[in-house]
Amino acid sequence: MKILVCISNVPDTTSKINFTGDNKNFDKNGVQYVINPWDEYALTRAIELKEAKGGSVTVLNVGEADAEPNIRKALAIGADDAIRVNAHPKDAYFVAQQITAVAKEGGYDMILMGKESIDYNGFQVHNMVGEMMGIPSVTPAFKLDMVDDSTARLEREIEGGKEVVEVKLPFVASAQQPMCEPRIPNMRGIMTARTKPLKVVEPTGAEAKSEYVNYSKPEKKSGVKMIDAENAGEVIKLLRNEAKVL
Amino acid sequence: MSVLVFVEGLNGEIKKSSLEAATYGSQVAQAMGTSATAVAIGDVNEDALSRLGEQGISKVLYDADDRLKQFVADAYVKVIAKAAQQENAKVLVFSNSNIGAAVGSKLAVRLNGSLATNVTELPKIDGGNFTVTRGVFSGKAFADVNLTSDVKIIAVKKNSTDIISNAGSTATVEKLSADLADADFASAPKETVMQDTSGGVLLQEAEIVVSGGRGMKGPENWHLIEELAKELGAATACSKPVSDIGWRPHHEHVGQTGITVSPNLYIAAGISGAIQHLAGVNSSKVIVVINKDPEAPFFKAADYGIVGDALEVLPKLIEAAKALDK
């Protein structure tokens, strides 16, 4: 079974978010980058399936060279090889086009990724790839198992419940917890990752369909009003009469 | 040319998030000098459809195919694409739900359109520019995005639109048939399991959320969270550590890697307010924090704070909530 896992290189979850150049650009200064946490579920589950059923796991990133440390990390966790499409990920449509081009050439049985990236929160790419490839996309999935060699059984979240879906290979799925316990690299993994193949390819000529022009941050709270614990019930009255939310 | 809104039904009625999308869509239509049409799929009765007039919808297209009562992406996409073509829709509006965003993404490919999800404000339409604001960096920032294609698709973040209700206005309801074939239902779910929400409120749609963290000291104390939620008509939620250690199910986990909520009121009991948790809740309109540590970072993001043991404070809140005129 050939599995393609798409990963994003994103600011660590603890990052303070700032912008530069008149709020036109994200300020990378002092920001640590990590593998998108949602993508870690997809990566670990892919490796678990490979260990159980055989096959290979290829990691794909659409990004610039500064993503390579985290691509190596994915190899250290257990992926077999990696592809980086050498381009700034302009928007979801652009990224989906790049993934589709790689996926068509590679002939994968399964294309997995996180349900969204924690920086742009699009929740778009997996469904776009499914549509571009003409194969099913099951998102967001929190359980993924093989029924037999050609059929997978997934559980996906819908508002207020879940759906159990069976699909034939090939398909696209996006992952969220509790699909698996994401792995961290061990020393042996880190050593072997250095020599695993990482291929850099140039992007297709696809155009983005949206353009990020400006960023802003939420307004700061004006300050907290403290209520004595002894009279804690007072807050309920304030919520009704002052904040008017009850 | 028109604006097309996708509305989802549940148990015969239209979901609150879809009423928000309908309001948003009719406001966009007004700004563009055109009318808003809704396309409805699923389990919804005709009376509820005609009442979409209250949100400014003039016409509703309804595909009554029984097979559409459960979500099947390919079939939904086909129905909405047909409606978009029939109405010559240049703007399509969805709720940013797992269903709405999924269908919107597929339609962006099929209709060659620009898509923005997680949109928080009405578009700014200025000459040739059509700019929307969307939440990015998991609630820590907003981005203004130009949608550059002829067709624009918008998935509106839940609870970011105040629903308008012009009492008495009705929409005309017309049947729509997309001539669906069995092949369109090939990826239909084997089984759909809904959570038991009897008497409860769905977290993603809730206007009030009561949430607990490790300061609740154990799952046996959750009745306090549930009781306060019941009194306030709220949904219950929890922090990541609480779902990781199994005190509460994963689908209640609110935060950067869980569910993002933006209710009118978020009450956090025994949650310290790690940056990852704040990212999931900081677009809540009013935040109440109960924590025994006066230095807990959550107080900086709160509107009202109580320093005290959640297990002692919550009963006082429950008592006060019971005393409110309902």
Side-chain angles (χ1 to χ4, degrees), chain A residues 71-169:
Chain A
I71 299 175
R72 287 281 171 210
K73 187 179 169 197
L75 293 170
I77 291 169
D80 299 286
D81 61 339
I83 301 168
R84 179 171 70 82
V85 177
N86 185 30
H88 174 67
K90 290 176 213 156
D91 75 349
Y93 190 87
F94 175 84
V95 171
Q97 291 275 12
Q98 307 307 327
I99 293 170
T100 300
V102 170
K104 277 186 174 160
E105 189 165 320
Y108 298 94
D109 299 305
M110 213 184 274
I111 303 166
L112 304 180
M113 63 192 82
K115 75 163 191 170
E116 64 185 43
S117 69
I118 62 164
D119 51 2
Y120 284 88
N121 307 102
F123 190 71
Q124 300 178 11
V125 172
H126 30 78
N127 280 303
M128 287 182 170
V129 171
E131 185 71 17
M132 287 170 184
M133 309 247 332
I135 59 177
S137 48
V138 184
T139 72
F142 59 87
K143 205 166 187 306
L144 163 60
D145 294 292
M146 296 303 293
V147 179
D148 54 43
D149 287 346
S150 64
T151 316
R153 184 182 172 91
L154 299 104
E155 294 186 15
R156 68 183 290 270
E157 189 183 271
I158 54 171
E159 278 75 11
K162 66 170 185 181
E163 287 179 351
V164 182
V165 185
E166 284 189 6
V167 286
K168 293 277 176 206
L169 306 180

Side-chain angles (χ1 to χ4, degrees), chain A residues 25-243:
Chain A
N25 303 301
F26 174 63
D27 184 0
K28 291 186 173 183
N29 194 19
V31 172
Q32 284 273 357
Y33 278 77
V34 295
I35 299 173
N36 178 39
W38 300 109
D39 298 339
E40 290 187 324
Y41 292 100
L43 175 63
T44 298
R45 188 66 192 132
I47 293 165
E48 289 172 355
L49 287 173
K50 180 191 82 167
E51 288 167 354
K53 309 271 175 192
S56 64
V57 175
T58 299
V59 171
L60 170 62
N61 170 260
V62 180
E64 287 155 312
D66 58 5
E68 290 200 0
N70 280 323
I71 299 175
R72 287 281 171 210
K73 187 179 169 197
L75 293 170
I77 291 169
D80 299 286
D81 61 339
I83 301 168
R84 179 171 70 82
V85 177
N86 185 30
H88 174 67
K90 290 176 213 156
D91 75 349
Y93 190 87
F94 175 84
V95 171
Q97 291 275 12
Q98 307 307 327
I99 293 170
T100 300
V102 170
K104 277 186 174 160
E105 189 165 320
Y108 298 94
D109 299 305
M110 213 184 274
I111 303 166
L112 304 180
M113 63 192 82
K115 75 163 191 170
E116 64 185 43
S117 69
I118 62 164
D119 51 2
Y120 284 88
N121 307 102
F123 190 71
Q124 300 178 11
V125 172
H126 30 78
N127 280 303
M128 287 182 170
V129 171
E131 185 71 17
M132 287 170 184
M133 309 247 332
I135 59 177
S137 48
V138 184
T139 72
F142 59 87
K143 205 166 187 306
L144 163 60
D145 294 292
M146 296 303 293
V147 179
D148 54 43
D149 287 346
S150 64
T151 316
R153 184 182 172 91
L154 299 104
E155 294 186 15
R156 68 183 290 270
E157 189 183 271
I158 54 171
E159 278 75 11
K162 66 170 185 181
E163 287 179 351
V164 182
V165 185
E166 284 189 6
V167 286
K168 293 277 176 206
L169 306 180
F171 66 90
V172 184
S174 75
Q176 68 170 48
Q177 85 278 29
M179 183 174 273
C180 56
E181 190 57 47
R183 293 185 189 177
I184 51 171
N186 57 30
M187 191 45 79
R188 188 168 162 272
I190 293 166
M191 299 302 285
T192 54
R194 289 181 190 166
T195 54
K196 284 179 179 173
L198 191 171
K199 189 166 81 174
V200 179
V201 300
E202 290 306 311
T204 69
E207 297 282 329
K209 290 184 174 294
S210 57
E211 194 183 15
Y212 282 77
V213 289
N214 192 48
Y215 294 92
S216 58
K217 294 213 276 185
E219 280 173 37
K220 283 232 160 48
K221 293 274 182 188
S222 56
V224 55
K225 184 180 246 182
M226 299 306 292
I227 292 123
D228 186 52
E230 288 305 309
N231 301 317
E234 201 56 34
V235 77
I236 296 289
K237 288 178 200 157
L238 288 167
L239 289 171
R240 167 159 290 185
N241 301 324
E242 186 178 82

Side-chain angles (χ1 to χ4, degrees), chain B residues 214-239:
Chain B
R214 267 185 302 194
M216 291 300 296
K217 300 194 178 80
E220 67 279 8
N221 297 320
W222 232 262
H223 64 95
L224 293 170
I225 298 281
E226 281 160 357
E227 210 176 326
L228 181 60
K230 190 164 159 263
E231 285 304 322
L232 300 176
T236 59
C238 69
S239 66

Side-chain angles (χ1 to χ4, degrees), chain B residues 135-153:
Chain B
V136 291
F137 294 99
S138 301
K140 293 178 199 168
F142 298 99
D144 296 336
V145 187
N146 281 344
L147 303 184
T148 51
S149 301
D150 188 34
V151 173
K152 292 126 179 39
I153 304 176

